[in-house]
Amino acid sequence: MLVKDRTKYLLKLNNRLYLFNRLNKLITFLRNKKKITIKDIAEALGITPSAVSKALNDHPRISKQTKIAVKEVAKKLNYQPNNLASALRKGKSNLVGVMIPRTNSNFFSLAVEKIVERLSKEGYNVIIAQSNESFERECKNIESLLLIQVDGIIASMANETTSLEHYEKIKSKGVPLIMFDRWEDELDVDYVGIDDYKSSFLVVEHLKQQNCRRIAHIGGYKHTRIYKKRVKGFKDALKKYELPIDETLISESSLLIEDGRRIMSQLLELPDPPDAVYAAGDFAALGALQVLEEQGVQVPEDMALVGFSNETFTSLVKPSISTINQRSELIGTLAAETFLKRVDDSKWDPKLNKTMIDSELIIRNSSLKTK
Amino acid sequence: MLVKDRTKYLLKLNNRLYLFNRLNKLITFLRNKKKITIKDIAEALGITPSAVSKALNDHPRISKQTKIAVKEVAKKLNYQPNNLASALRKGKSNLVGVMIPRTNSNFFSLAVEKIVERLSKEGYNVIIAQSNESFERECKNIESLLLIQVDGIIASMANETTSLEHYEKIKSKGVPLIMFDRWEDELDVDYVGIDDYKSSFLVVEHLKQQNCRRIAHIGGYKHTRIYKKRVKGFKDALKKYELPIDETLISESSLLIEDGRRIMSQLLELPDPPDAVYAAGDFAALGALQVLEEQGVQVPEDMALVGFSNETFTSLVKPSISTINQRSELIGTLAAETFLKRVDDSKWDPKLNKTMIDSELIIRNSSLKTK
DNA sequence: AACAATAGTTCAATCGATTGAACAGATTAA
DNA sequence: TTAATCTGTTCAATCGATTGAACTATTGTT
């Protein structure tokens, strides 16, 4: 009995001490703005740091009371967990790297936005890196991302990139890698993107409906899978719709404005010029449009024009440019979800996820002859 | 009992699945070599981890021989330092957060590129966050950045933002904060941006030279410092160049395309419409241009037009839009350097750095009457 | 030869959170 | 009454790198 009474007394004392300490801590905090750790919370409550850690992480063996008390004090002290420490211990940084060729493109910008949106819901922080279409930069970025121990990388390849070692390196480190849009077949990774092959069919079908007979294609470099697929789709679609395939009408370039200009000029000088141009990129389409305008060629009457990617400007120029919507938001969300599936042990599956979604043709004035 | 048995069975199954998954992961892991730490290097050389650490960091008390040997082994084992561990110990993550309203804007995209370029030279990794002009998102982003313990934040305010508590929080945590372009005077922080006031002078001077007499201004919201300055500069410039100030010609908006359209329409309906429009944003300028074209108003003959920011499309539309180049690259570089100065203890200076750089007027067809 | 100075390492604590094992006390079962 | 079970917590090791103090050879000085 005596022991019990003494314990009660001690508890009371302890409680008083607790209140006192808490107050003290608060004052100290406000005065020196020092960083609060679980140790401080533990001290304030008269328990150990490990109990605090467990309480904060909802460990089943911690009582409800303690959890509530701990969380309350944590909030009052404005506790911010040290991510570095827990990352070090858990071997998980909660950081995901996203690497894209450029941020100032409608497609990538939207996709990234969705990736961030989805991943932050799961408590991840996203690091955005841009390669500027440069191979070297891409390598460096990957180095950096691995250095800071991201839990995964979601990437889209730079145009310049042909060698894939740096991507292999990610895989060899056991870091999940998800590719979207631009990617190579040889790279055995999860993938999300539109069906480039099918997209070309949409374009050709539409142009055929507009009574176009000779369709030219301004393509991207064939070492990149998506551009190869677009060309393949283009040719197969021509076949399907019984249109002639003329190799002189098919070109390969970086798809910049200048490329569009140069190639369009060349096409116009042909003895038998095309009556429609399908560019695998909007910038090239814009370049082509400029040349057409300069040379007084009527668009779409004399020459129909379709681009690819739905860049912002396509709806702003005159005539507005028909283009393929790659549904960037959906791709972004799916890429994020593929990553989440990959890191979820309970759903671990050796099979790779290859997700192909359907693109959408946006018909604008540059290709709409018939009303 | 039956229930219990079943539970046990399920647990067993679950456990087996878990083990299987783990084994799979282990195999992958082992195949790709385990993670190398300084301990491994130490073991390989028969010295202690601390000696290795010191050798790698070029500590003066370590012999040249040892340093060379350590670095050689490190390279051979493909050692990658654990950033988390060193960050935890040193209290420095080598991460810098950059928060911008949008990535798909020429200005911000270029600025960020330069920031990354400059900071990675100094061994920093950059986290890019976009607020999408949303106040809420901006707050969340700052939370995240602080959570992962960035060494500093370089930011430009969202349009929506009027309250500044979240920025104050950064400061109160002792994390260096550098603002660029969009920023408020009340916020006592380092700053880099163009001289918005002076920029308006450039525009008015140019329009006066083009014989414009009644200049309208499509302004941004005045709660944002830069837009306020542009209006002030505009009025003062009108005074200086002895042009009339007509408040009905000065408006305030979000500077979106629609805003430009709406305001331009209103201006055209005035009994005495202006002969020039100076928009504080390129998108608004574009909207205005669309309306002018639709209504058959000749640009620049009947109405000269100048925008602001040098967005990509300004040089692509017809007529190309005159605009202000904010020298994003320079701003980016300077912002990065301001940060570096701020964290360099040897150059510690309580004085805040406010850097104003001169902008540049790019004269294009939308305002060039005389050749 | 004795001692100080110096170079080159090792030792041990540390950053902050996490986690399995250990332990104490309360409750229930045998 | 004793043993078994369950609950709620503490203990101590750990993640990997860093760092000042301590220690041990080695060299130089007188």
Side-chain angles (χ1 to χ4, degrees), chain B residues 116-138:
Chain B
V116 172
E117 189 180 310
R118 186 71 189 83
L119 292 183
S120 36
K121 260 188 215 153
E122 309 294 324
Y124 284 99
N125 284 101
V126 175
I127 297 202
I128 303 172
Q130 51 178 331
S131 63
N132 288 314
E133 305 285 10
S134 140
F135 171 68
E136 198 193 345
R137 188 61 162 276
E138 193 169 86

Side-chain angles (χ1 to χ4, degrees), chain B residues 106 206-207 210 282 299-300 303-325 360-371:
Chain B
N106 207 29
H206 164 63
L207 289 174
Q210 299 294 313
D282 281 332
V299 178
M303 184 82 73
L305 184 65
V306 178
F308 209 111
S309 283
N310 195 23
E311 289 291 343
T312 316
F313 65 79
T314 51
S315 64
L316 304 178
V317 292
K318 294 264 161 154
S320 53
I321 303 176
S322 299
T323 189
I324 290 283
N325 175 14
E360 176 194 15
L361 175 66
I362 301 178
I363 300 171
R364 298 213 181 89
N365 295 328
S366 73
S367 69
L368 197 62
K369 295 186 194 177
T370 51
K371 301 287 148 166

Side-chain angles (χ1 to χ4, degrees), chain A residues 197 200-201 204-205 232-243:
Chain A
Y197 180 80
S200 288
F201 272 76
V204 172
E205 185 186 11
K232 182 93 168 47
F234 173 65
K235 289 185 181 174
D236 289 358
L238 288 181
K239 239 176 265 169
K240 179 178 168 194
Y241 293 106
E242 297 172 335
L243 292 171

Side-chain angles (χ1 to χ4, degrees), chain A residues 23 32 43 75 91 146 155 157 189 261 270 273 292 296 300 322 327 339 350 353 358 368:
Chain A
L23 191 66
N32 346 324
E43 226 161 83
K75 186 166 279 179
L146 290 177
M157 276 178 48
V189 291
R261 294 186 64 96
L270 288 178
L292 290 169
S322 299
R327 305 175 72 188
F339 164 77
N353 304 295
D358 282 341
L368 196 63

